[in-house]
Amino acid sequence: MRKTIILYFMPKIFSVLLFFILGFTQAQTPEKLNASEIHQEIKKLNFLGSVLYVGAHPDDENTRLISYFANKKKARVAYLSLTRGDGGQNLIGPELQEQLGLIRTHELLAARKIDGGEQIFTRAKDFGYSKNPDETLKIWDKNKVLSDVVLAIRKFKPDVIINRFDHRSPGSTHGHHTSSALLSLEAFELAADSSAFPEQLNSTAAFQPKRAFFNTSHWFYGSREAFEEADKSAMLSLDVGVYFPELGLSNSEIAALSRSQHQSQGFGSTGTRGTSNEYLELIKGEMPESDVFEGIDTSWNRIEGGREIGDILKKVETEFNFRDPSQSLPELVKAYKLIQELENEHWREVKTNQIKDIIAASSGLFLEAAAETPSVTAGEKVSLNLEAINRSSYPVTLNSVELSPNNSRLQVGQSLKNNQSWVSELDFHLPESTKNTTPYWLQKESTNGMYLVEDSEMIGLPKTPVETQATFRMDFNGTEIEFNRPVIYKYNDAVVGETYRPFMIIPEVSVSFEKDVEIFELNEPRSISVVIKAGRDNLKGSLRLESGKNWKTLPESADFRIDQKGGTAILTFEIIPPDDQDETFIRPVAKIGEKEYTDELIQIDYKHIPLQNLVMPAKLKAVRIEIQKKGEYIGYIDGAGDAVPQSLEQIGYRVEQVDPAEISDNSLSKFDAVVTGIRAYNVVDELKFAQKHLLEYVKNGGNLIVQYNTSRGMLVDNPAPFPLQISRDRVTDERAEVSFLDKNHPVLNKPNKITENDFKNWVQERGLYFPDQWSEEFAPILSMKDKGEEPTQGSLLVAKYGDGYFIYTGLSFFRQFPEGVPGAYRLFANMVSIGKE
Ligand SMILES: [Zn+2]
């Protein structure tokens, strides 16, 4: 039997341009369309063609093209981002990895709301930089990612696929990028082949897209001049600089608003106006003359039984009354009924969702189920305020309101008179089985390359569908239409006014540590705190810690009691580390009655995305490091942002932040070492002026450690006292073998004897932007390489200058420290200790 197709990004068809024009940026406010926007949606309803844009990361997508196809061509457009961008940086907060992936997922959704596209993902993880697709596809489970791309094509059924990247130039860009193009083209063929991934055919059908393009540009040709001279006979050029008078915006202005949602990446973007071309190079299928949809019937005639619907809706489009959109309702309801009779399941579902939103907007229908509290636990009850109003003279009756997941139904049977509100209160009892609100792809421990998703129905979805919903059954002059609305929470904020939030299901209790990693540089016990937060009133229980066999925690168990929901209790435990180097995960277990709880509730709250709930296993990584140190007082000059100072404090250093604007002749002499944060020489203007003092400090016996900077955009000619050239050399394999160029060099021997063990269990990469040329004053210490490449020797360079030392290192200490990698700490301690007896 064939199951219903799940539509990606289900209820969202409309764009919310208006909100942005008016300055609203709340991500969860209900959409209220004006007449002009309703007319746009009717035009989209009458277009039956679709485009799938394929890239690797959030922010790879070309929002100009997505907006062009959605708003100019009126096509269905989706962006398939293979990953959620977990491996990137975060310019707006401390979240990294899974939490950053969650933020970037919602930044994509916010972007799509503006440009009119939909959003799809695969289970692939953004594990960090890779140099070529071979490396990428080894870390991803290639077959699973391919399966997900095939599934996306079979479900979304794009006529046209557009790749962001070139499948023919592996090695010229991030391996994820090239892989996205390779997998897209492989899936182009396989999607139509019923013998490929046959299990998918239980829930969807095989499908053959018509053509595939590569969205080329001068960037792929090295320069604008080279691109101008390139052979364009296999390229289609599109003027995407169109202006939309009905929206008051140019396509590029919409694209910029959309792109600016990538706030965590600092991609704020300013719109442009005027003609501007995009180029599509044909990769598969027949070359069209001028239109990507050439040879495809994109009218209602495309589907069996569509002609009659098309005739009705064409009339609705041309005779649309901008003063009173409700005049289209009789015809819209007639078309709705005909759509329900369509044999073609895919188009029936797509068009039903579109027309329902148009019917609701045309009748000024507002339906809402608002919870009285922002969150409850499974098994609890919450009071809902229901509201339904029809703001047209069209006869509409509210038959009933049904709640899920508990299936309770409120029988209403009331006709909704023009502009007369119906309101009601209803108790919503949540079943014990209601799931916590949390992203579906983060419910199981993932591998390095893949998210584990147990429910195959979820694969591809941008977010977990909201479980708590109200279904309003309405009668439109004899035709019943159902409208689903997620239960929301709203309140009045004294400053910003009406504020919407998702309604959340939270665990009864959340347990967490204040830190992610605790480093024990001595074999002395240390106290750590566990924070317990109540998800309901009158919480009483006990808590114990679990850890590896060489570690002890005291006491064995401690009781807690919290009277009010939202309240916290803090319990302190003693951790006793082993004598020898070792590491373990310490996990808290809260026991309430017979039930045990081990998860932490994390909330991520930024204005441009909806509030996010994340329920994940709580754990503390405890690391016992055998480490010796000489010198203890470090001055740190912040760069682009890293947690190195906190990490150094963890192993017993005293770290003081140094404001580079306040550095003077002798202000640094008190430090045993001065360390610059990552990319400091790219982002800290004042270093231009502080540089001479820094070198003076070294000359007088100081120790300056400069962490990686990018080769482009250096604010000084040279950060070093001797010639040094930073290159783009990097070693991305975190397991790459490391050999010692000078075994006797102090930095490898004092006070810690560095061995190959110290390069075990590194994460993500060895390092980046290594210098490739340096003067003879520098001693290169380490040699390492990625597979198939020449060895690099510039990852750690040490030079004596005057009475002190200058060290330049591209090793990614900033990634290793937060993960508690012992060898990275031991090597860094040697760098700080150098020259000290
Ligand atoms: Zn990318």
Side-chain angles (χ1 to χ4, degrees):
M1 226 192 74
R2 189 168 279 190
K3 289 182 220 153
T4 348
I5 304 164
I6 294 187
L7 285 174
Y8 293 111
F9 200 13
M10 267 177 300
K12 170 66 217 85
I13 312 274
F14 295 132
S15 63
V16 285
L17 285 167
L18 188 74
F19 291 119
F20 288 88
I21 296 161
L22 297 180
F24 289 99
T25 51
Q26 265 178 42
Q28 45 254 312
T29 311
E31 290 150 21
K32 301 167 184 174
L33 300 193
N34 64 34
S36 176
E37 287 166 321
I38 296 172
H39 191 237
Q40 289 298 306
E41 296 307 319
I42 293 169
K43 286 185 183 168
K44 287 186 190 174
L45 183 62
N46 284 335
F47 189 91
L48 284 78
S50 54
V51 175
L52 182 68
Y53 197 89
V54 181
H57 307 117
D59 77 25
D60 285 344
E61 84 278 24
N62 184 338
T63 53
R64 300 203 313 163
L65 265 186
I66 291 174
S67 173
Y68 174 83
F69 283 114
N71 297 303
K72 175 66 183 170
K73 300 298 287 187
K74 315 291 180 203
R76 268 186 97 205
V77 197
Y79 174 43
L80 170 60
S81 176
L82 297 199
T83 75
R84 296 174 187 266
D86 330 80
Q89 50 174 338
N90 182 1
L91 298 186
I92 57 171
E95 299 84 1
L96 288 172
Q97 301 297 335
E98 288 92 347
Q99 295 185 35
L100 176 60
L102 179 60
I103 291 173
R104 296 185 71 185
T105 293
H106 284 274
E107 290 183 340
L108 276 182
L109 289 171
R112 296 296 83 79
K113 261 191 170 185
I114 294 168
D115 59 37
E118 300 173 36
Q119 187 57 50
I120 311 173
F121 291 96
T122 75
R123 287 169 288 175
K125 254 177 101 173
D126 176 5
F127 56 81
Y129 193 81
S130 64
K131 286 176 177 166
N132 57 61
D134 292 347
E135 193 186 333
T136 300
L137 295 172
K138 217 175 283 164
I139 296 173
W140 288 350
D141 183 330
K142 188 213 156 176
N143 206 47
K144 282 201 179 116
V145 185
L146 179 62
S147 159
D148 291 359
V149 180
V150 169
L151 182 68
I153 295 173
R154 285 173 173 172
K155 280 187 169 179
F156 188 75
K157 303 197 190 304
D159 299 308
V160 176
I161 292 181
I162 301 176
N163 287 346
R164 166 74 283 187
F165 298 102
D166 191 352
H167 61 291
R168 294 157 299 195
S169 54
S172 63
T173 174
H174 197 323
H176 296 175
H177 290 162
T178 315
S179 298
S180 74
L182 288 166
L183 293 172
S184 160
L185 295 179
E186 206 174 321
F188 182 96
E189 307 290 345
L190 292 178
D193 178 354
S194 314
S195 66
F197 308 110
E199 69 286 355
Q200 292 178 2
L201 302 175
N202 295 324
S203 61
T204 184
F207 178 79
Q208 180 59 63
K210 181 98 170 166
R211 21 180 100 87
F213 295 95
F214 157 47
N215 180 198
T216 191
S217 75
H218 66 86
W219 192 85
F220 295 93
Y221 284 75
S223 69
R224 281 174 197 278
E225 296 70 37
F227 186 57
E228 246 158 54
E229 281 161 26
D231 172 18
K232 297 199 181 62
S233 56
M235 288 183 203
L236 203 60
S237 94
L238 303 174
D239 180 4
V240 298
V242 286
Y243 174 64
F244 302 113
E246 62 277 31
L247 303 172
L249 290 168
S250 73
N251 187 61
S252 306
E253 286 173 326
I254 297 172
L257 287 170
S258 167
R259 186 137 189 92
S260 299
Q261 295 307 301
H262 293 298
Q263 291 186 10
S264 68
Q265 305 306 298
F267 282 168
S269 177
T270 298
T272 58
R273 290 148 294 278
T275 301
S276 179
N277 282 334
E278 282 287 340
Y279 293 88
L280 300 179
E281 180 183 348
L282 186 78
I283 304 294
K284 284 196 186 277
E286 256 172 58
M287 184 69 194
E289 297 244 316
S290 61
D291 184 355
V292 298
F293 292 110
E294 220 160 85
I296 302 164
D297 189 347
T298 54
S299 77
W300 277 98
N301 296 341
R302 176 174 194 160
I303 44 175
E304 208 187 308
R307 185 173 301 274
E308 196 187 343
I309 301 169
D311 289 344
I312 296 169
L313 291 177
K314 197 75 221 165
K315 206 169 139 234
V316 170
E317 184 183 323
T318 46
E319 293 175 5
F320 185 75
N321 185 330
F322 284 84
R323 288 205 195 102
D324 181 10
S326 74
Q327 290 192 7
S328 308
L329 282 168
E331 302 290 299
L332 284 170
V333 171
K334 205 198 278 177
Y336 171 84
K337 273 187 358 206
L338 291 169
I339 290 171
Q340 303 319 299
E341 289 160 19
L342 288 174
E343 291 271 312
N344 185 312
E345 211 176 341
H346 172 72
W347 285 112
R348 187 175 69 227
E349 195 127 12
V350 170
K351 292 299 167 189
T352 295
N353 281 306
Q354 287 184 326
I355 200 168
K356 270 164 63 171
D357 285 348
I358 292 169
I359 289 171
S362 301
S363 51
L365 198 64
F366 180 84
L367 304 170
E368 190 166 85
E372 275 203 323
T373 53
S375 60
V376 293
T377 62
E380 281 191 316
K381 101 180 166 188
V382 62
S383 174
L384 296 184
N385 292 312
L386 302 173
E387 180 182 354
I389 186 167
N390 162 31
R391 284 163 293 180
S392 74
S393 51
Y394 192 82
V396 179
T397 301
L398 174 60
N399 287 342
S400 65
V401 183
E402 196 173 306
L403 302 179
S404 59
N406 76 349
N407 295 321
S408 66
R409 178 194 277 252
L410 176 70
Q411 215 49 52
V412 185
Q414 185 174 319
S415 125
L416 299 180
K417 297 268 170 326
N418 189 355
N419 212 22
Q420 304 290 310
S421 261
W422 171 86
V423 290
S424 182
E425 244 176 64
L426 187 59
D427 274 347
F428 187 12
H429 294 266
L430 286 140
E432 289 285 352
S433 60
T434 314
K435 295 194 193 76
N436 288 327
T437 308
T438 192
Y440 72 86
W441 63 96
L442 297 178
Q443 285 172 16
K444 294 275 161 201
E445 196 98 19
S446 60
T447 65
N448 194 15
M450 298 296 294
Y451 284 117
L452 181 66
V453 177
E454 275 188 336
D455 181 357
S456 64
E457 293 275 308
M458 295 282 179
I459 293 171
L461 296 179
K463 56 179 181 174
T464 316
V466 178
E467 203 187 352
T468 46
Q469 295 212 24
T471 302
F472 293 81
R473 287 183 210 284
M474 319 288 296
D475 181 295
F476 280 74
N477 202 19
T479 300
E480 189 173 85
I481 306 180
E482 282 179 24
F483 296 91
N484 290 327
R485 295 289 181 266
V487 174
I488 52 88
Y489 171 68
K490 66 176 182 182
Y491 63 96
N492 186 64
D493 181 286
V495 176
V496 296
E498 185 179 57
T499 303
Y500 275 83
R501 293 248 148 158
F503 172 67
M504 311 264 203
I505 311 302
I506 59 170
E508 248 187 311
V509 60
S510 157
V511 283
S512 61
F513 293 105
E514 282 164 337
K515 287 184 206 164
D516 295 331
V517 178
E518 190 77 40
I519 313 261
F520 295 78
E521 86 276 16
L522 305 167
N523 63 345
E524 285 171 7
R526 195 179 292 172
S527 294
I528 57 139
S529 301
V530 184
V531 182
I532 306 161
K533 190 166 184 185
R536 63 162 171 82
D537 291 343
N538 300 320
L539 198 71
K540 222 173 93 183
S542 65
L543 188 112
R544 67 171 197 276
L545 297 182
E546 286 181 351
S547 66
K549 63 179 179 351
N550 299 327
W551 298 70
K552 283 201 196 72
T553 61
L554 289 172
E556 235 161 65
S557 165
D559 292 341
F560 63 85
R561 190 201 161 105
I562 306 169
D563 294 336
Q564 270 190 329
K565 173 178 175 175
T568 54
I570 296 178
L571 295 179
T572 305
F573 288 80
E574 191 109 306
I575 312 275
I576 305 158
D579 289 341
D580 301 328
Q581 197 153 299
D582 191 25
E583 59 184 64
T584 189
F585 281 108
I586 297 176
R587 298 174 190 272
V589 183
K591 201 166 174 202
I592 294 159
E594 285 311 301
K595 271 193 184 167
E596 294 197 328
Y597 297 84
T598 54
D599 289 334
E600 172 180 9
L601 170 65
I602 300 164
Q603 294 203 317
I604 299 178
D605 195 6
Y606 290 104
K607 279 225 169 70
H608 66 305
I609 60 171
L611 175 71
Q612 292 303 308
N613 242 18
L614 188 53
V615 181
M616 287 184 94
K619 59 183 183 198
L620 170 75
K621 189 174 182 183
V623 186
R624 165 79 175 103
I625 301 182
E626 286 179 63
I627 192 168
Q628 305 289 325
K629 303 192 303 283
K630 288 267 189 309
E632 55 130 29
Y633 193 15
I634 293 176
Y636 202 86
I637 300 173
D638 278 338
D642 56 62
V644 171
Q646 296 86 320
S647 301
L648 293 174
E649 280 171 353
Q650 281 234 15
I651 56 166
Y653 285 112
R654 198 170 130 216
V655 183
E656 185 181 315
Q657 308 276 334
V658 175
D659 178 353
E662 286 171 10
I663 296 176
S664 61
D665 264 349
N666 288 317
S667 66
L668 301 174
S669 57
K670 61 187 176 188
F671 296 117
D672 293 311
V674 173
V675 182
T676 61
I678 59 167
R679 301 202 303 282
Y681 284 96
N682 298 126
V683 299
V684 183
D685 266 321
E686 291 85 356
L687 279 179
K688 279 189 277 199
F689 315 108
Q691 180 65 6
K692 66 171 194 274
H693 299 300
L694 284 166
L695 295 183
E696 199 63 28
Y697 158 72
V698 177
K699 207 174 181 177
N700 294 331
N703 181 357
L704 177 62
I705 299 170
V706 176
Q707 300 184 82
Y708 98 89
N709 293 278
T710 61
S711 45
R712 243 190 263 173
M714 285 290 281
L715 295 164
V716 297
D717 293 337
N718 182 6
F722 307 112
L724 177 83
Q725 183 182 293
I726 300 169
S727 77
R728 295 175 65 85
D729 286 355
R730 62 202 293 171
V731 175
T732 56
D733 182 356
E734 67 273 21
R735 290 150 307 177
E737 200 184 311
V738 177
S739 55
F740 300 160
L741 295 167
D742 178 1
K743 280 194 174 57
N744 300 320
H745 196 281
V747 86
L748 292 176
N749 292 284
K750 285 196 287 194
N752 302 292
K753 174 84 185 157
I754 301 297
T755 70
E756 62 184 29
N757 273 336
D758 290 299
F759 290 94
K760 282 189 182 150
N761 300 321
W762 281 45
V763 295
Q764 194 156 333
E765 64 187 354
R766 288 288 187 209
L768 63 176
Y769 291 97
F770 298 158
D772 62 350
Q773 286 178 48
W774 48 87
S775 65
E776 59 187 10
E777 286 87 354
F778 284 102
I781 307 295
L782 305 171
S783 170
M784 57 184 75
K785 68 181 186 76
D786 277 325
K787 206 171 268 166
E789 296 189 350
E790 290 297 307
T792 64
Q793 303 198 334
S795 60
L796 177 58
L797 298 168
V798 183
K800 182 120 191 21
Y801 176 58
D803 294 333
Y805 283 87
F806 176 89
I807 299 180
Y808 192 93
T809 182
L811 291 173
S812 55
F813 291 102
F814 69 104
R815 291 199 200 281
Q816 314 310 319
F817 286 170
E819 299 291 326
V821 177
Y825 280 101
R826 285 162 46 86
L827 180 58
F828 204 90
N830 283 9
M831 288 157 56
V832 172
S833 306
I834 198 164
K836 293 174 186 67
E837 284 313 319

